Amino acid sequence: MKNLGFLSFGHWAPERGSAVQTASDALLQSIDLAVAAEELGLDGAYFRVHHFARQLASPFPLLAAIGAKTSKIEIGTGVIDMRYENPLYMAEDAGAADLIAGGRLQLGLSRGSPEQVIDGWRHFGYQPAEGEDGSDMARHHAQVFLQQLEGRGFAQPNPRPMFPNPPGLLRLEPHSEGLIDRIWWGSGSNATAEWAAMMGMNLQSSTLKDDETGEPFHVQQAKQIRAYRAAWKAAGHTREPRVSVSRSIFALVNDMDRMYFGQGGKDSDQIGMIDQTRSIFGRGYADTPDRLIDQLKKDEAIAEADTLLLTVPNMLGVEYNVHVLDTILNEVAPALGWR
């Protein structure tokens, strides 16, 4: 049994052929796609966060809006770049959005990906402590955020407040009980996956990772997931963790599918350098449903994960993306035992 969701980067561009011309289009169509995905029976609607780009950026207004217009589907991020975040203000935003959604937020956090601008987080007023780098700062912000989600009082109340206070130290409000168990860490290496396990976060295994063994991407990713689960067990956590992977998967069933994706997916992994680290990018899949089923059965990481996020080409519009998701849900997923 697999939880199936979609992951949208929320691209928009005022270009010919784009169904998403403006930022308003990207936001409103994201809401419409989440509502449609819930009607299809999909389990999750997840959104990428990028700053200084024609993509979705500030996630909480969008997540709250989707939460108000849906009732069942999980609503998440994949991922929020914690280098840019004030963890206390973020805890308030997250608590409010989760309460609006009735406890359905699934927040993916991370150090973030290569940026549109140089050290963009400095423009947001942040910089690493002496002797640390952006990754250290992101992990520190994440730890502070998790502490706030515990809901413990920490601030000394004013003896002459404007409004009456409850007794004791004050916490941030609104607090959403249980949200702390629905925080994920987007990991691109075995070491950060193990750190996420130690911190009690679920795992979003990245679409790219450090090339640590030279093996195919899906093999390395499966090993990362197993290392994460071993670290989780060693840390002594009592609940069962969740693990997601994301894939570009397109079933070719009509002329439009063949026009957009008929050249097939990436038949092999790609190798590149990210921040001076050799990285491996996973392949994509595009084929007829029967061939897709055979190919996906060989993907070890999909087999290891409990949640699969389908990356969607959001600039092709809501109607086409609903078709993409519906085809996978009904013509591919059952044969793989995902539903």
Side-chain angles (χ1 to χ4, degrees), residues 120-290:
W121 31 268
R122 294 188 187 276
H123 297 290
F124 279 54
Y126 303 113
Q127 76 177 48
E130 186 175 351
E132 296 186 342
D133 60 16
S135 296
D136 297 318
M137 181 173 65
R139 286 190 288 269
H140 173 68
H141 285 182
Q143 287 174 284
V144 174
F145 177 65
L146 290 173
Q147 289 168 0
Q148 297 308 313
L149 294 187
E150 292 175 355
R152 297 175 185 170
F154 65 95
Q156 189 69 39
N158 188 338
R160 295 175 181 166
M162 183 177 294
F163 306 105
N165 281 322
L169 299 177
L170 301 183
R171 69 185 184 186
L172 292 176
E173 301 289 356
H175 174 70
S176 186
E177 195 72 35
L179 177 57
I180 192 170
D181 292 334
R182 288 178 272 115
I183 306 302
W184 307 58
W185 187 257
S187 172
S189 70
N190 288 10
T192 54
E194 291 169 349
W195 175 82
M198 181 182 68
M199 296 302 301
M201 289 185 281
N202 302 305
L203 177 67
Q204 287 183 341
S205 186
S206 177
T207 50
L208 62 90
K209 71 178 298 294
D210 295 353
D211 186 9
E212 299 181 73
T213 66
E215 295 171 292
F217 173 80
H218 73 101
V219 175
Q220 293 196 50
Q221 193 175 41
K223 289 184 175 181
Q224 179 199 44
I225 293 169
R226 289 191 285 269
Y228 164 81
R229 289 205 171 106
W232 181 277
K233 183 177 181 180
H237 302 304
T238 56
R239 69 176 178 87
E240 188 70 21
R242 290 183 61 184
V243 175
S244 74
V245 296
S246 58
R247 294 287 187 272
S248 294
I249 305 173
F250 300 100
L252 308 181
V253 298
N254 61 29
D255 290 341
M256 187 169 289
D257 298 330
R258 287 184 283 272
M259 177 181 71
Y260 286 136
F261 303 106
Q263 299 302 313
K266 296 176 182 177
D267 294 331
S268 61
D269 301 330
Q270 306 294 311
I271 300 294
M273 298 298 293
I274 301 293
D275 294 337
Q276 300 181 332
T277 300
R278 179 182 166 93
S279 300
I280 184 167
F281 303 73
R283 59 163 295 182
Y285 296 91
D287 215 324
T288 58
D290 56 332

Side-chain angles (χ1 to χ4, degrees), residues 10-15 18-30 53-56 314-315:
H11 293 285
W12 60 274
E15 299 173 354
S18 170
V20 192
Q21 294 279 314
T22 67
S24 176
D25 291 339
L27 289 162
L28 295 175
Q29 289 187 29
S30 293
R54 288 178 173 178
Q55 298 176 44
L56 298 173
N314 76 285
M315 288 183 66

